[in-house]
Each structure stands twice: as structure tokens, then as C-alpha cells.
Amino acid sequence: MYLKQLIQVQQMVQYGALDEKLSVLCGGKSELDAYRARLLHTLEAFGKTFGTDREIAIFSAPGRTELGGNHTDHQHGHVLAASVNLDIIAIASPRSDNVIQVQSEGYPLDVISLEELEPIPETQEPHAAELIRGVAARFGQLGYPLEHGFDAYTTSTVLKGSGLSSSAAFEVLMGNICNAFFAEGKLSPTALAEIGQFAENVFYRKPCGQMDQMASSVGGVVAIDFFDPHLPEVRSIAFDFDKTGYALCIVDTGGSHADLTDEYAAIPAEMGAVAAYFGKSFLSEVPANQVLKSIPELRKACGDRAVLRAMHFYREDRRAQGEADALERGDFEAFLRFVQKSGQSSYDLLQNVYPSSAPQDQPASIALAVGSAMLGGRGAIRVHGGGFGGTIQAFVPTVLLSQFQEGMEAVLGAGSCHVLKIRPVGGVTILE
């Protein structure tokens, strides 16, 4: 790497030397001033926290939006996802010792030692430091020398709990820093996504597939086949959403993700139980017609909800492939029909729109009902991400956008409706 002095980088940003790169990341010239100001703030905050006499590099990792494949990745199925123009920025600088320090703005300083890279005991509650530890540990397991640590300061516009995968973006960000400092940039975006999933599964103890990390790491619109999760087939799809006449909206319903781990974990567990009935580990290994023929036996062995969730998997898996094909041939109306059917299936079969433990609280259901009424049959609307009350996704005709935003925010609160753009690149080193 060719690191640059902090003050030199500040001058480069101030005088527009990085504007071409930054405009790609933030969604265009209209967002450039705000992004530049945020980067300058992050540089200044790094200097105040870790010292100004440092050589630094700049990294970025985006949030992601799930376009298709709601809860199909953990069953090694197909997904369609895209990176968005909300990201986490990191200013990072190597240290001379074996310590990693990460200051995420608004949170306590995370400090880990490269000599202590084992998962914490299950009796302890994991937090962000475990994601950093897990990423570093995996680099060590892959044979890359961890000869020194680093300091990093991060700022984020990826809304926490928004379904845009702030945790995956953070993992990809740490992976890009470690890739630069430990591995001379040798690891591919897909390898970094696998490292992020490893950190979340093993060190953070959260069951998840690999879609979030892959979308953040690879960037743009990606169709992914996870049948072999160690060698996923990743296909980039060139499609310009800006020319469709629709806006992508993510609406924060105000639902809390607290105490929902069991709800999330139940989905892969129940789908896995159906697969296990046939002696397999994942539904992608079991033909759909075999499940349909065995519904009476499966109801007794696994329960009705597990059967319904398995049925969702097969239909959603086909839809994700259909959405990708529709975008590739430029048929956006067909894509929207698939999106709408995906939302209905998540409601009826997957049952992840609200938690079964608290049926009296249904913010996502309210948001879907209000949003559907406002769209009046145009566009598409669905639950987004893991579900259970976080966010919904809508493709809104631009002629209705102001009305849609005002209506949703009247019900769910000011600032709840976010208009996003698809970012064409994933995790990157902005300056090294």
C-alpha cells in the first residue's frame, strides 16, 4: 500500500481530487457535497482520536437491499440483491503493535489483541468487537501474517436495524482493511463476503446466510446461486434503475429488532427440519415435488408452519431467478410483478412480517397496508430483509413519490421513508 499523510488527504478531499470516485459511491453529483463533508469530518475525527501525524488509507462498504430471495440464502438457494448509496466510511492507519482499535462514531472504542482471537464464551453477550475479532481471526486461519494492528475511525449512514445490513457492511469494511493491511489486497470480494459471514456466524453467534455480505462486498446488482456456499455463482447484472421512472424506497416501520433472534433463527431451523426429514441438510437439496407429495407426513413430523415456510422457499427461489432474468432482458414490469408476489408469499407462507410472539404489534403490516393503498396497484411493495417489523421496500412511480413519502411519514413518523439509489460498486479502498 502507498499510504498518505492525513493532512495531505484532507487537502485532496477539500480541493476535489477524489470527487470522481466519491460521486460513484454516494449516488451522483447531487449527493457529492454532503458525502465530501462527511469524509472531511471523518478525517478530522480520526486525527482527534488517534493523532494527526499518521499515514492513512480510506475505505468504504455499502449497505445492501434485497431485491429477491427472502430467506432463501441460508437454504443454499438463489437471491437477487444490490448495494445502495448508504455506506460506512473508515479512515485507517497501521499500528506498530498487535492491537486493533476501531472507533465507530457514537459508540465505545473497540479494542482487540491479535494474540487473543478465540470466540468469547457463550455465557458472554457478543458485540461489535467480536465481528472485528472474527474477521482478523479468519485472515490468520487463511495463513496471512497478522504482524501489526491498526487504528480505524468509522462513520455510517447505513441505518441500524433498517434491513440494509449495517452489520454486513461493517464486516465487509473490516475485511477490506484487513485485506489491505494483512494480505496485500489479494482476496476477492467473494472471499471477503465469506469471511464476514464466518465472523457473524462463529464469533457473533448470529445465524445468517451470505447474501448480505456478498451484496455489500461485490456491489451493484448481483444474482447469486448459493447451492455450493463455498463457491457461490455470482452474476453481475447491468441494469439502470434510474431510467425506469420508479424510485426505490425503504421505509422504517419503527419496529424493534430486540429479542427477535429466536424468531429469525426459527426460519432456517424449520426449513432445515423439512430438509432433514428427507435426509438432507438444506431445502435446495430436496426436489420441490418431493416435499409437495409428503405434506401429510411433514405436517406431523415438522409442523404446519415449517411446511408453509418450505413452500415459500421453493416459490421464492424461482422468483429470485425470474427477477434476475427480467432485469437482464430489460423487462422492469415483469420484475415488479415478481417483487409483489414475493411480498405476498412472505406474508402468507414465510410469515415474517410480524413476530408470532407479539401479534398485537404489527408496524410492518400497517406500513404494507398503507403503502399498498397509496400505490393503488402500481409499482410493488414487500417486507424487506429479515422481517418481523423492521423495514419494507417499495418501488414507487416517481410521479407518486412525494405523495407516497408524505403519506408514509404521516403514519410512521418524519424521516421514516428513505429514497435510495443502487450503488454500482461494493466494498472498496477509496485511497491507499
Side-chain angles (χ1 to χ4, degrees):
M1 294 192 69
Y2 299 95
L3 302 169
K4 296 190 185 317
Q5 285 288 336
L6 176 62
I7 189 169
Q8 180 184 3
V9 177
Q10 287 175 315
Q11 291 172 344
M12 291 175 67
V13 176
Q14 286 174 334
Y15 292 110
L18 299 179
D19 280 2
E20 186 174 349
K21 285 185 177 181
L22 301 184
S23 64
V24 172
L25 304 182
C26 68
K29 293 183 178 180
S30 61
E31 309 292 335
L32 182 56
D33 287 346
Y35 197 86
R36 192 191 301 115
R38 176 174 153 231
L39 180 52
L40 286 169
H41 164 77
T42 311
L43 288 161
E44 182 180 1
F46 176 93
K48 289 180 178 178
T49 305
F50 299 115
T52 56
D53 188 22
R54 300 289 293 270
E55 292 184 324
I56 63 163
I58 309 174
F59 303 86
S60 164
R64 72 96 184 101
T65 184
E66 169 200 285
L67 301 176
N70 197 219
H71 283 279
T72 54
D73 58 335
H74 52 69
Q75 295 303 301
H76 298 179
H78 295 80
V79 302
L80 184 69
S83 54
V84 297
N85 63 326
L86 300 180
D87 70 348
I88 310 178
I89 292 173
I91 311 300
S93 177
R95 295 172 59 96
S96 58
D97 57 15
N98 60 2
V99 172
I100 293 177
Q101 295 189 120
V102 178
Q103 178 64 70
S104 298
E105 190 163 85
Y107 294 90
L109 178 71
D110 290 314
V111 182
I112 71 165
S113 169
L114 292 174
E115 295 181 356
E116 299 174 0
L117 295 180
E118 295 298 320
I120 60 173
E122 293 201 5
T123 54
Q124 298 180 24
E125 189 72 21
H127 51 92
E130 300 316 305
L131 296 177
I132 305 166
R133 195 188 315 276
V135 170
R138 188 59 179 151
F139 271 85
Q141 292 172 9
L142 292 172
Y144 294 100
L146 309 181
E147 297 175 343
H148 60 79
F150 58 83
D151 292 329
Y153 192 100
T154 77
T155 62
S156 177
T157 54
V158 185
L159 308 169
K160 192 173 178 62
S162 64
L164 298 173
S165 297
S166 57
S167 60
F170 185 76
E171 293 152 16
V172 169
L173 185 75
M174 292 299 112
N176 273 271
I177 297 173
C178 290
N179 195 27
F181 290 168
F182 302 152
E184 298 179 341
K186 293 178 181 177
L187 292 184
S188 68
T190 56
L192 295 179
E194 292 170 6
I195 290 172
Q197 184 198 24
F198 168 85
E200 189 152 345
N201 289 172
V202 177
F203 280 73
Y204 202 70
R205 301 198 298 270
K206 181 179 178 182
C208 70
Q210 202 180 104
M211 175 182 68
D212 297 350
Q213 293 84 357
M214 195 68 74
S216 176
S217 190
V218 175
V221 180
V222 288
I224 312 168
D225 179 356
F226 284 116
F227 187 77
D228 181 351
H230 300 294
L231 289 170
E233 294 181 15
V234 182
R235 185 168 99 247
S236 293
I237 297 177
F239 184 84
D240 190 348
F241 280 84
D242 290 339
K243 295 181 179 179
T244 62
Y246 285 83
L248 169 61
C249 293
I250 298 295
V251 182
D252 183 355
T253 70
S256 172
H257 284 259
D259 301 322
L260 290 177
T261 298
D262 290 345
E263 295 275 4
Y264 293 122
I267 295 178
E270 291 178 8
M271 289 183 178
V274 173
Y277 180 85
F278 300 98
K280 303 295 183 181
S281 299
F282 304 99
L283 285 177
S284 60
E285 302 172 307
V286 182
N289 61 356
Q290 198 170 357
V291 171
L292 290 174
K293 291 177 181 177
S294 305
I295 286 179
E297 297 83 2
L298 287 170
R299 292 182 67 191
K300 295 175 183 177
C302 306
D304 287 353
R305 190 172 70 172
V307 174
L308 291 170
R309 284 175 164 171
M311 294 173 69
H312 165 84
F313 166 79
Y314 292 111
R315 297 178 186 184
E316 185 74 352
D317 193 60
R318 290 194 299 271
R319 272 190 294 268
Q321 296 173 72
E323 288 175 347
D325 292 342
L327 291 182
E328 281 197 320
R329 66 176 184 266
D331 190 347
F332 193 67
E333 290 301 321
F335 168 80
L336 291 177
R337 290 193 292 272
F338 280 122
V339 172
Q340 190 65 36
K341 289 179 180 178
S342 170
Q344 195 62 50
S345 181
S346 292
Y347 219 134
D348 296 342
L349 301 179
L350 185 60
Q351 299 179 36
N352 71 330
V353 175
Y354 61 90
S356 59
S357 57
Q360 70 279 7
D361 297 318
Q362 298 193 33
S365 303
I366 292 292
L368 289 167
V370 173
S372 295
M374 298 191 66
L375 288 174
R378 300 180 65 179
I381 191 167
R382 66 195 280 270
V383 70
H384 183 248
F388 301 112
T391 57
I392 65 167
Q393 176 191 74
F395 289 91
V396 182
T398 53
V399 294
L400 297 178
L401 182 58
S402 296
Q403 178 183 338
F404 183 86
Q405 282 185 287
E406 291 172 5
M408 297 306 288
E409 295 190 356
V411 174
L412 299 168
S416 59
C417 184
H418 305 274
V419 182
L420 304 184
K421 291 186 177 181
I422 303 299
R423 169 168 146 164
V425 296
V428 295
T429 303
I430 299 176
L431 183 71
E432 61 179 5

